Amino acid sequence: MKQNKRVLNGAIAGMALSAAFSASAQAGSLTIASPQDPGSWDPIDTFLVNWASVATNIFDGLTYRGPDLELVPGLATEWEELDDGTRIRFTLREGVTFHNGEPFNAEAVKFTFDRLLGEEGGQGPQRSNYTAIESVEVIDEYTVDFHLNEPDPVLLTKLAGYGAMIVPPEYLTEHGDEHFNTHPVGTGPFKVVEYNPREDVQLEAFADHWGGAPKLDVTYRFISEPSTAVAELQAGRVDIVIPPTIPIGMIDTINNHDGASIVSVASPTVEAIRFNTQSGITADERVRKALIMAVDRQAIIDSILAGEGEMIASFQGAQSFGNDPDMEPLPYDPQQARKLLDEAGVEQGATVQIDVRGNDATFGEVAQVVASYLQGVGITASIQPYETNVLLNDIIPAGRTGEMFQQKWGGWTFDFDNTAYLMYHTGERWNPYDSDAELDEMLEAQRSITDQEERETLLQAIAQYTQDRALEMPLYSINALYGVSDRVENFEPAPDNRMRLTNVDVSE
């Protein structure tokens, strides 16, 4: 990863500026195409990678993890684990202010986590990531103790993102949650100056950031149509197109265009087609295994992804803690698949529906190929596209999907816990259909294990258990593809889309 970044930085810095780009590009600013407007900028409201792509620049956490995946101090300068891992003392950074001038201190940390773990946090998807925190105690203005009900071996990483971003108590108390959704204030290197829903969000460099002032102002344009985003990149009206916008089929289009190129980096993002285990033919485990075995996943990677992906055996990539490199995916075996369908009493011509994100062109192709493979074993699959926010906020959590539905997961902690607990534990948002007491017990047990070797073994057992039950059709991990203008300098492609833009510059 580090070698790739060095090559990238050197290559971009040395590229000649295209005349076509210089005519329309604005010096001192950066424009980024993002495929999705998250709808709310409040850290407790979201799970979306496209939120993090922007908000990593608006907010800070107590810890920070950049593109090199190393965990370093953020708003906490140091921390110490005490009482056998059930208490963590954080020493906070002094002299930090929020964008509205409000001081950052221990009270802000306590307010943030009281809110996350309280009634407000309970209305969003993030609280379950932080339930190991029992309370936050203010020791003095720049010292806090986190009291845990049990050790959480992933907590320090979780504090680097999403729900754990520190928010301003006075501002939120004065203006309320609804205002904060659209007028966020953090301590990050950029502050929001204008947000136009479904159009763009405009960020201004925050000169007083504790880590140093950014070199540019930044505008994120929400462009859901991949071809439009690529056309804007080629025309010079966009400087960076972030994943997962760019379809594989457009890689050559961008690389062959004078003025931009594709930057690819291995990512934790995985794709699967999950099953409705409660109703329809997929309620039968034999049917779920049959549908998996009916699809040649490696052929999909070779033909549609052009090698920009890797087959997975469980719902995690090779970089994930808990991945078992010796675990084999269920084989492609259409004859065995048909045999299992016969055993389950599924007749030729039985139907399933596959729900997908309508703006995901690459997965749209994948879904079509999956449907073709299923037809080969006598199953007729229809594909139902949804607007992404509708699928993620309404259809899946409410248990209103067809028999099969697309699930893309960022795995941003690079730890299987963050995927497995949310996907498989009873009552979780992403598990609207299944309840398995044995699996719940395994998921809960791994969270309290401090011995990392023992915990890894249990996570691998969880992965095997979910494969045995065929809870989803694991497809592949996919590289993060960035489209980058030649005018951009010092850009580091983040594996998890969480780009920090402080050091990015553009050629005049």
Side-chain angles (χ1 to χ4, degrees), residues 292-293 295-301 311 329-332 474-475:
I292 296 170
M293 298 174 77
V295 177
D296 189 342
R297 284 88 72 200
Q298 188 60 54
I300 289 174
I301 295 168
M311 195 168 171
L330 289 179
Y332 170 54
L475 294 171

Side-chain angles (χ1 to χ4, degrees), residues 475-486:
L475 294 171
Y476 46 77
S477 61
I478 188 166
N479 291 350
L481 300 177
Y482 292 84
V484 184
S485 163
D486 292 0

